[in-house]
């Protein structure tokens, strides 16, 4: 699995999407620095368009496709951030958009997709039905499928976070990236590894994913059909997509994978909420959990970047998680 992405591809993506997205701020917290014994820098993608980093990859994928020729429309399957990101990106480019949504998807996210102008098609909750419905409609309509993770243009768009982060904080010793399907980790790790070889890349995962075993074996050892049971809903895909995994093999060491529990995630989410006054989703709290719970893995790193990947959370559920 040879890597496809390279720094110039990500830099081109940054130029392409720059007029539309936010260059999200990097915030710090004296309290969290003292608690961790590190200097922490939080890249606030929770303040990005649509409330997550997904807007970057979706916009780059659509824009690249339009540059390549006629584009009748785009389609994806999603119950959350990617669907919102694609719907928003399609609206920016006047591109018809369909999102295949499982019947059990949260109503606020469905309404957000509709609000951006997407056509919503419901399906059963299984991943099999989601993928089959998406494939059928793509053929019927002649639309291009934009996968949430397994797309090099999507990964290039997500990689622009790494570009901005290193511009904003050139002294970073490490960046910690939450990993689900692998699009964010694949894009950001590729850019950082080529731009600054002295900046280490760490992936943080929920319990049960065991990414390090697959990296060590240089093979994806997971069962495709399974999802993790974790409060970090953005990281529930058990298996990293094949194109994303190819990037990680080349950029992330198997001993740079940090595993955190749901309790640790909720505690870190509460700290960010109370001390930084930021609304984040559980997946975004995983980086801080990694720093606080596994300091031995990061002992050689002092200036640590953490990507707050999203803020689309049901506040009622968030309060229950933080204050059980």
């Amino acid at each position: 699995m040879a890597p496809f992405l390279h720094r110039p591809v990500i830099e081109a993506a940054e130029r392409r999407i720059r007029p539309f997205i936010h260059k999200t701020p990097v915030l710090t917290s004296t309290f969290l620095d003292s608690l961790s014994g590190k200097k922490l820098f939080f890249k606030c993608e929770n303040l990005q368009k649509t409330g997550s980093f997904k807007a970057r990859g979706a916009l780059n994928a659509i824009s690249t496709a339009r540059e390549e020729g006629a584009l009748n429309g785009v389609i994806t399957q999603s119950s959350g951030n990617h669907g919102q990101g694609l719907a928003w990106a399609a609206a920016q480019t006047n591109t018809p958009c369909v999102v295949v949504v499982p019947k059990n998807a949260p109503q606020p996210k469905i309404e957000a997709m509709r609000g951006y102008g997407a056509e919503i098609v419901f399906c059963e909750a299984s991943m099999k039905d989601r993928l089959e419905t998406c494939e059928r409609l793509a053929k019927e309509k002649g639309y291009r499928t934009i996968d949430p993770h397994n797309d090099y243009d999507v990964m290039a768009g997500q990689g622009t976070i790494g570009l901005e982060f290193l511009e904003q904080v050139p002294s970073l010793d490490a960046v910690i990236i939450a990993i689900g399907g692998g699009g964010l980790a694949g894009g950001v790790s590729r850019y950082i590894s080529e731009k600054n070889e002295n900046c280490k890349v760490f992936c943080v995962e929920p319990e049960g994913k065991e990414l390090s075993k697959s990296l060590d074996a240089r093979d994806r050892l997971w069962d495709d059909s399974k999802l993790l049971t974790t409060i970090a809903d953005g990281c529930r895909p058990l298996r990293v997509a094949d194109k994303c995994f190819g990037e990680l093999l080349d950029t992330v060491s198997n001993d740079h994978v940090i595993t955190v529990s749901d309790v640790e995630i909720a505690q870190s989410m509460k700290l960010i909420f109370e001390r930084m006054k930021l609304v984040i989703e559980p997946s975004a709290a995983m980086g801080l959990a990694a720093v606080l719970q596994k300091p031995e893995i990061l002992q050689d790193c002092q200036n640590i970047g953490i990507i707050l990947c999203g803020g689309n959370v049901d506040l009622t559920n968030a309060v229950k998680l933080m204050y059980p």
Side-chain angles (χ1 to χ4, degrees):
M1 285 180 282
F4 171 86
L5 287 180
H6 289 290
R7 179 177 149 194
V9 175
I10 296 169
E11 290 170 345
E14 190 276 333
R15 292 190 294 272
R16 189 177 290 118
I17 69 176
R18 183 192 302 158
F20 301 92
I21 64 161
H22 295 312
K23 184 173 184 177
T24 50
V26 173
L27 301 183
T28 58
S29 165
T30 301
F31 176 81
L32 295 179
D33 286 353
S34 63
L35 190 64
S36 65
K38 307 288 186 180
K39 185 67 177 174
L40 304 180
F41 300 88
F42 296 86
K43 178 73 167 156
C44 296
E45 285 298 296
N46 58 310
L47 303 179
Q48 186 54 264
K49 298 286 189 178
T50 77
S52 92
F53 72 93
K54 293 284 190 175
R56 295 174 182 264
L59 182 58
N60 188 57
I62 291 179
S63 299
T64 302
R66 290 177 69 88
E67 290 171 8
E68 293 170 351
L71 184 66
N72 296 328
V74 292
I75 185 170
T76 196
Q77 55 79 23
S78 172
S79 59
N81 287 347
H82 177 66
Q84 292 179 73
L86 191 69
W88 170 81
Q92 306 312 302
T93 56
N94 296 313
T95 304
C97 176
V98 174
V99 183
V100 175
V101 177
K103 293 178 180 178
N104 63 350
Q107 192 63 32
K109 294 188 176 182
I110 295 171
E111 293 307 318
M113 296 178 209
R114 280 204 180 105
Y116 292 125
E119 176 188 349
I120 305 299
V121 176
F122 290 100
C123 68
E124 297 303 320
S126 72
M127 184 57 68
K128 180 175 182 291
D129 198 62
R130 287 166 63 160
L131 293 172
E132 288 179 351
T133 304
C134 189
E135 182 179 3
R136 174 177 58 80
L137 290 174
K139 290 180 179 178
E140 289 177 2
K141 292 177 172 290
Y143 283 8
R144 176 164 174 162
T145 302
I146 307 293
D147 189 86
H149 320 288
N150 210 30
D151 183 299
Y152 289 120
D153 294 324
V154 168
M155 274 192 279
Q158 322 304 28
T160 62
I161 297 171
L163 184 156
E164 288 183 10
F165 217 164
L166 291 183
E167 285 182 346
Q168 291 165 310
V169 192
S171 61
L172 286 177
D173 301 318
V175 173
I176 303 176
I177 313 166
I179 184 161
L184 175 64
V188 174
S189 66
R190 168 57 60 190
Y191 186 82
I192 290 176
S193 67
E194 293 191 5
K195 177 65 175 180
N196 184 356
E197 61 182 15
N198 295 318
C199 183
K200 299 176 181 178
V201 176
F202 294 83
C203 288
V204 57
E205 63 179 9
E207 290 180 328
K209 195 176 187 71
E210 299 183 331
L211 172 63
S212 60
K213 290 185 178 180
S214 290
L215 290 176
D216 188 49
R218 301 190 67 79
D219 188 21
R220 297 184 303 146
L221 303 177
W222 305 280
D223 183 337
D224 260 335
S225 63
K226 292 182 179 179
L227 293 174
L228 290 168
T229 302
T230 173
I231 64 171
D233 54 321
C235 295
R236 283 180 183 156
L238 179 61
R239 192 173 197 174
V240 173
D242 62 339
K243 294 173 184 175
C244 307
F245 188 68
E247 298 299 323
L248 295 180
L249 280 176
D250 199 50
T251 59
V252 178
S253 169
N254 66 322
D255 61 355
H256 283 185
V257 178
I258 303 172
T259 304
V260 293
S261 69
D262 277 1
V263 170
E264 293 163 348
I265 295 169
Q267 290 171 343
S268 294
M269 188 176 173
K270 181 180 177 182
L271 282 170
I272 291 171
F273 180 81
E274 291 182 344
R275 294 293 177 167
M276 300 185 71
K277 317 305 179 188
L278 291 173
V279 176
I280 61 166
E281 54 198 70
S283 301
M286 290 171 60
L288 179 60
V291 172
L292 297 179
Q293 303 301 326
K294 304 295 170 61
E296 67 280 3
I297 299 178
L298 295 155
Q299 60 183 343
D300 296 329
C301 305
Q302 186 59 31
N303 297 329
I304 298 175
I306 295 172
I307 299 171
L308 300 180
C309 50
N312 292 320
V313 62
D314 183 313
L315 287 177
T316 301
N317 289 335
V319 170
K320 290 178 181 177
L321 292 175
M322 294 185 288
Y323 304 96

